[in-house]
Amino acid sequence: MITTRRQMLYGLGTAAIAAGFTSTATRVIAAGDGREVLTASDGHLVLPGDFVFDGMPQAELAEILERHDVPRDEVQQPCNLTLLRDGDRLILFDAGAGPSFMPTAGDLADTLYDMDIAPEDVTDVVFTHGHPDHLWGVLDGFDELLFANATHHFGQAEWDYWSDPDTVNTIGEARAAFAVGAQRRLEAIEDIVQFFKAGDEVLPGIMAHATPGHTPGHTSFEIATGGDPVLVVGDAFTNAHVNFERPDWPSGSDQNRELGAETRARLMDQAATDKMRIVGFHLPGGGMGRVERKDGAYRFVEDEA
């Protein structure tokens, strides 16, 4: 029996589970039409507080953080990837961080194994944007495609931005490595990628919504389920405290802070008005819940299902 390097890496992931690794796999909704939306953990990010909170009114910020028991100097963000089972299709939204971005992230292969899913089972990967914790997981530890059987779906505007050789010079020193890493991974998937634009039906029952600001071509996705639609918001919301209480505040994690705040306020209004279920990549409780209005702003209500 010949073992490929990908199978070898996957076996190492199963050993991590046997040694005590714990993962998160949470069912969001099981609709009558046979569609099922799930979330899978890729671990979490550990970020300096200034990466998120720089530029915000610090006195009011301190009150919000204290109320939510969140430290100012360090932010830990869960990473929740969304999966959709639809007949013979298994669709993954984003690919996680992979093995080379941050030691606390890159757990997706282990989590999928815990869900009895092999990377080869994934038929489609649909991307919200090209930041490392969403894109770099297309490659495994041997620089081979992890989801080798899948068609990869990328927004044309987002692809054009990250594949532009000049992006590394214009994105800013703190994010230059993001651009270098993105270009290498886009080159790896260029033969298996299909492009979409805002407003397109990316796959049956999956509609792309333009939600720019976090990145130039950031996209959220509305999944038709036969019941309440599910909105995969990606990084349009990156926390359940400041983003919801003050969606109008520019966030340091957004590449275009002003546009990101405009998008966030608009999307929260839509989600609250339409009572949509959302999945947030960096929101707690597996990222599942709803947006509710509170005291002139919003709050995130975790899904109890």
Side-chain angles (χ1 to χ4, degrees), residues 40-46 77-81 92-109 127 129-141 143 146-147 181-182 184-185 281-282:
S41 174
D42 191 45
H44 67 279
L45 304 183
V46 180
Q77 296 179 332
C79 298
N80 313 296
L81 287 94
L92 175 66
F93 292 83
D94 293 324
S100 57
F101 177 54
M102 189 173 290
T104 56
D107 297 340
L108 180 61
F127 292 91
H129 64 296
H131 276 167
D133 49 328
H134 298 254
L135 172 62
W136 286 18
V138 298
L139 296 179
D140 64 21
D143 277 354
L146 182 59
F147 305 105
R184 186 161 73 86
R185 286 155 181 86
F281 195 90
H282 294 302

Side-chain angles (χ1 to χ4, degrees), residues 26 61 84 151 166 173 189 197 200 212 216 240 242 265 278:
T26 311
L61 171 66
L84 170 65
T151 301
D166 198 40
E173 183 178 354
I189 65 173
K197 302 184 299 296
D200 284 352
V242 178
I278 69 167

